């Protein structure tokens, strides 16, 4: 994810990005970055395997993955909003002299949710790309 968004050499996928002052990205920014990089998500190999299936099984399974990914993305976006708020509150109340309080937990939460959203958008984009064309029922003959 190197490039566009960095804080002291760290990307938004890493907790130190937030720890060094990097600002959480908006979901639209995350989606734009996914599209720009062409990342296809952690399910790419499974999606490629499904894409090789015959119709109508192929379309049915791709739509099932899309539905699952969309549900997960909605859940992740909701939690992302929560952890970003927690990060901002943590920054306000963070006392660097108190060894028992750590801003790191907030930073880790935001980076993990960022990564889940990144993967969610990647999976949805890839599946949508494949669903724009339907295989001919006789492709395998």
């Amino acid at each position: 994810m190197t490039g566009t968004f960095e804080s002291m050499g760290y990307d938004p996928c890493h907790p130190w990005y937030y720890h060094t002052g990097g600002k959480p990205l908006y979901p639209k920014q995350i989606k734009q970055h996914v599209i720009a990089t062409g990342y296809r998500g952690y399910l790419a190999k499974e999606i490629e395997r499904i894409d090789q299936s015959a119709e109508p099984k192929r379309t049915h399974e791709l739509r099932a993955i899309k539905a699952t990914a969309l549900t997960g993305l909605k859940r992740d976006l909701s939690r992302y909003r929560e952890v970003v708020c927690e990060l901002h509150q943590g920054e306000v109340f963070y006392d660097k002299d108190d060894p028992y309080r750590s801003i790191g937990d907030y930073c880790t939460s935001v980076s993990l949710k960022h990564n889940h959203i990144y993967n969610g958008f990647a999976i949805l984009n890839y599946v949508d790309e494949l669903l724009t064309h339907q295989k001919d029922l006789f492709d395998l003959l």
Side-chain angles (χ1 to χ4, degrees), residues 46-138:
E46 176 67 10
I47 293 169
E48 289 166 8
R49 184 193 62 75
I50 291 169
D51 188 47
Q52 298 306 309
S53 302
E55 293 293 357
K57 181 181 178 186
R58 172 191 170 269
T59 298
H60 176 73
E61 288 186 15
L62 287 175
R63 286 183 180 154
I65 286 179
K66 180 178 179 176
T68 301
L70 191 55
T71 299
L73 181 61
K74 287 177 183 178
R75 186 177 50 246
D76 289 333
L77 286 168
S78 177
R79 181 66 182 137
Y80 184 69
R81 287 182 192 98
E82 292 173 4
V83 297
V84 167
C85 287
E86 291 169 2
L87 174 66
H88 291 312
Q89 289 173 350
E91 288 171 342
V92 171
F93 298 110
Y94 179 57
D95 181 1
K96 292 181 182 183
D97 297 325
D98 183 352
Y100 298 104
R101 297 187 72 178
S102 174
I103 194 71
D105 293 342
Y106 302 116
C107 298
T108 300
S109 294
V110 174
S111 68
L112 286 173
K113 276 300 134 188
H114 167 275
N115 295 345
H116 292 171
I117 291 167
Y118 198 87
N119 265 295
F121 280 133
I123 291 166
L124 288 173
N125 286 340
Y126 189 28
V127 169
D128 281 343
E129 176 186 316
L130 295 175
L131 286 173
T132 59
H133 67 279
Q134 182 177 6
K135 287 186 171 185
D136 187 342
L137 292 175
F138 302 104

Side-chain angles (χ1 to χ4, degrees), residues 28 31 97:
K28 285 183 181 181
K31 183 177 181 179
D97 297 325

Side-chain angles (χ1 to χ4, degrees), residues 6-54:
E6 284 190 9
S7 180
M8 296 185 70
Y10 294 98
D11 295 319
C13 62
H14 196 283
W16 278 95
Y17 169 84
Y18 306 98
H19 196 73
T20 58
K23 300 299 176 203
L25 304 181
Y26 291 101
K28 285 183 181 181
Q29 292 173 301
I30 298 171
K31 183 177 181 179
Q32 289 170 347
H33 196 271
V34 168
I35 292 168
T37 63
Y39 180 61
R40 295 187 167 182
Y42 72 96
L43 288 178
K45 288 187 184 203
E46 176 67 10
I47 293 169
E48 289 166 8
R49 184 193 62 75
I50 291 169
D51 188 47
Q52 298 306 309
S53 302

